[in-house]
Amino acid sequence: MVNSHILPHEFEFVEPHTLEEALTCMAAYPGKAQFMAGGTDLLVQMKMGRVRPEVIVGLSKIPALRYLILDQGLRIGALTTFRQIERSELIQRRYTALYEAAMAVTSIQIKTMGTLGGNLCHGSPAADSAPPLIAFGAEVKMINGDRERVVPLETFFAGAGQTLLTQEELMVEIRVPEPRANTGSAFMKLGRVSADLAKVSVAVVIEREQDICRDCKIVLGAVAEMPLRTKEAELILRGKIFKEDLVEEASLRVSEEVRPIDDSRSTSWYRKEVSRILVRDALNLAWERAV
Amino acid sequence: MKKQITLTVNGVKRELFVSPNELLLNVLRDQLGLTGAKYGCGIGECGSCTVLLDGEPSLACLTLAIAVDGSEVTTIEGLQSRDGKLHPLQDSFLEHGAVQCGFCTPGMILTGKVLLDENPRPTEEEIRAYIRGNLCRCTGYTQIVQAIQDASVKGKA
């Protein structure tokens, strides 16, 4: 029986203060250690007996991982919390869908503790931050020793709970390009109640030129084994005059492109139905904002 | 292996010995006898273990005690003034009958306090959004929302 009131297994806890130290700690325990950011996912996994690290490398004392820098786009330190994201007026104005996703994270407590990097590295298909970041074309920077690599977030997820990140690798930064002029965005999430994980979530980013949709990205969460960009639906709108019937057509296409499962939170059928409605509403809202 | 940590709990500095796998909630309840923060779900969904960690609402059931060495912790026991006078929000909960079984109350009041510190005149909608991670299975929330709103209207909080 799982007892969520204790962490039954003993482990060693190390707390580096710099990135270098963090990587050295990790390299010292090959295959046995795990990084911990906010802990809201890892500790639950440990209580449930799904993971059992011998060593936890706590990252919260590394100031070099907490920052929000506006520099030809946005650079976000991996340990930035959802609370910091939702308090940024700049993100609210320019990266509205990301702001709305931070607002939609289950509770004030989780927003305070949970970090953007942790949310992504956990690899949940329902991660609130993934759809807007993918829709904005974000890249993530990962380091390991003196090696570093930067990959598009769109290619970062490898399956439910799986990412490209190797065990020794550390995600340090999320880079979001500057949106073009006349771009609008929106994030919508349906859960059983607002303090719940998503049954379906949608992020839309639209670039507008008068009546024409110059470009658009539509990314959904919780409807596939990983966050999913629906490119066929995007094609329906790209370069066309933004009209109700095209929006309906694109939304319907999304519901055909997604491949949701039945689970405790919803059924596949329901997720498809809701995808269509959420995408339609998110497209219209992002369009109105793109001025 | 146990390690010594220092926590300032409700204004009092405490030297404690903790193992890496000890949760802040267990340390507060078992070592310090502060049983206001409750164990509910243990997985970050109910909010009954909410405490203020350096002023921010946090879940003590998902916090390693060893990782918050040096922090300030406020629990419901630390909300009243030194002479035993209740915090205005606690008074308001009493006035409005916002407590039934009482299990969610400590977390609810602490979350409400942070809200009022941040936003002294919240709307009903803002209150409901802010306390959404603190589940109450008795009251239906109406009296809780009114208690927070009333404390804000009177400017007492």
Side-chain angles (χ1 to χ4, degrees):
Chain A
M1 248 266 307
V2 169
N3 177 357
S4 67
H5 291 191
I6 53 166
L7 284 165
H9 306 298
E10 300 201 338
F11 52 84
E12 207 180 314
F13 183 75
V14 288
E15 206 161 41
H17 288 81
T18 66
L19 288 178
E20 267 182 12
E21 273 174 43
L23 293 166
T24 312
C25 288
M26 190 46 84
Y29 307 97
K32 294 177 181 169
Q34 260 194 292
F35 287 123
M36 181 173 89
T40 56
D41 280 319
L42 179 63
L43 296 183
V44 172
Q45 297 286 322
M46 288 170 65
K47 286 180 173 186
M48 296 296 158
R50 291 183 199 133
V51 293
R52 196 178 164 170
E54 288 177 33
V55 181
I56 290 183
V57 181
L59 300 172
S60 65
K61 300 272 159 65
I62 306 180
L65 283 171
R66 290 180 198 273
Y67 54 85
L68 267 174
I69 298 171
L70 184 71
D71 170 26
Q72 296 174 338
L74 190 60
R75 290 168 48 209
I76 309 173
L79 247 67
T80 304
T81 63
F82 290 107
R83 225 30 204 136
Q84 290 167 306
I85 301 280
E86 74 173 6
R87 281 174 169 162
S88 160
E89 279 178 30
L90 179 119
I91 292 180
Q92 183 178 2
R93 205 169 55 242
R94 252 186 250 183
Y95 301 91
T96 311
L98 178 59
Y99 163 78
E100 288 175 331
M103 292 278 284
V105 168
T106 56
S107 67
I108 194 74
Q109 294 90 337
I110 298 289
K111 287 190 236 186
T112 300
M113 302 167 74
T115 69
L116 210 53
N119 192 231
L120 297 174
C121 294
H122 183 54
S124 165
D128 287 321
S129 64
L133 286 170
I134 292 172
F136 279 116
E139 296 177 318
V140 291
K141 179 177 160 188
M142 302 173 278
I143 60 170
N144 180 6
D146 49 12
R147 279 168 293 165
E148 74 165 62
R149 57 175 174 156
V150 178
V151 302
L153 184 60
E154 198 181 333
T155 65
F156 177 74
F157 298 98
Q162 291 173 337
T163 68
L164 294 186
L165 205 67
T166 63
Q167 193 241 337
E168 287 88 16
E169 225 168 4
L170 179 62
M171 180 189 285
V172 291
E173 186 174 272
I174 297 111
R175 297 175 178 172
V176 199
E178 176 80 40
R180 289 167 175 269
N182 309 316
T183 292
S185 69
F187 174 84
M188 289 184 179
K189 165 176 166 179
L190 183 79
R192 190 176 54 87
V193 292
S194 58
D196 217 338
L197 298 182
K199 291 171 190 278
V200 177
S201 63
V202 177
V204 167
V205 176
I206 289 186
E207 187 193 342
R208 174 175 182 170
E209 193 182 302
Q210 286 159 354
D211 290 339
I212 294 169
C213 166
R214 271 203 57 185
D215 196 6
C216 84
K217 289 207 185 124
I218 305 170
V219 186
L220 287 92
V223 294
E225 63 285 2
M226 61 187 98
L228 185 77
R229 188 171 157 203
T230 52
K231 293 184 182 173
E232 290 175 23
E234 292 173 6
L235 267 181
I236 292 173
L237 292 166
R238 194 169 295 135
K240 310 275 173 48
I241 292 176
F242 191 89
K243 286 195 314 228
E244 198 184 335
D245 56 339
L246 270 194
V247 171
E248 290 291 342
E249 193 187 329
S251 308
L252 186 63
R253 183 61 61 89
V254 166
S255 68
E256 292 159 0
E257 275 187 81
V258 297
R259 35 179 198 272
I261 55 166
D262 292 334
D263 68 7
S264 57
R265 277 192 285 280
S266 196
T267 62
S268 169
W269 174 83
Y270 184 72
R271 286 183 156 117
K272 283 186 180 226
E273 290 292 304
V274 169
S275 297
R276 185 167 59 82
I277 305 300
L278 281 190
V279 167
R280 184 194 65 195
D281 292 352
L283 280 168
N284 286 324
L285 184 57
W287 178 257
E288 281 168 31
R289 287 172 174 170
V291 279
Chain B
M1 215 185 62
K2 295 215 176 200
K3 196 194 145 205
Q4 186 177 346
I5 63 166
T6 308
L7 293 179
T8 304
V9 182
N10 299 329
V12 181
K13 216 172 192 185
R14 306 275 196 166
E15 308 280 334
L16 300 156
F17 285 90
V18 299
S19 300
N21 63 342
E22 274 184 89
L23 298 160
L24 176 62
L25 185 54
N26 289 335
V27 172
L28 293 173
R29 292 178 60 89
D30 302 341
Q31 288 199 39
L32 298 177
L34 297 170
T35 54
K38 298 288 187 279
Y39 243 124
C41 67
I43 55 172
E45 292 182 359
C46 76
S48 60
C49 66
T50 303
V51 299
L52 306 186
L53 204 54
D54 295 323
E56 300 272 3
S58 304
L59 300 172
C61 84
L62 289 180
T63 301
L64 297 180
I66 201 168
V68 293
D69 184 13
S71 298
E72 276 187 32
V73 183
T74 305
T75 69
I76 192 71
E77 290 89 345
L79 220 53
Q80 61 190 22
S81 59
R82 282 183 194 281
D83 59 5
K85 202 169 164 294
L86 292 181
H87 185 277
L89 191 53
Q90 290 175 305
D91 272 333
S92 191
F93 266 62
L94 286 176
E95 268 171 45
H96 285 269
V99 179
Q100 276 188 40
C101 87
F103 201 86
C104 71
T105 312
M108 199 67 89
I109 290 179
L110 287 169
T111 305
K113 179 194 180 295
V114 180
L115 166 63
L116 294 180
D117 287 348
E118 216 172 88
N119 177 2
R121 301 290 296 268
T123 62
E124 178 182 340
E125 205 178 315
E126 285 168 340
I127 294 170
R128 286 183 182 272
Y130 209 92
I131 64 171
R132 70 180 184 230
N134 289 82
L135 304 190
C136 171
R137 301 291 83 165
C138 303
T139 65
Y141 299 100
T142 306
Q143 298 96 317
I144 293 173
V145 173
Q146 284 169 354
I148 297 174
Q149 201 152 32
D150 195 37
S152 78
V153 169
K154 290 180 183 163
K156 293 192 297 193

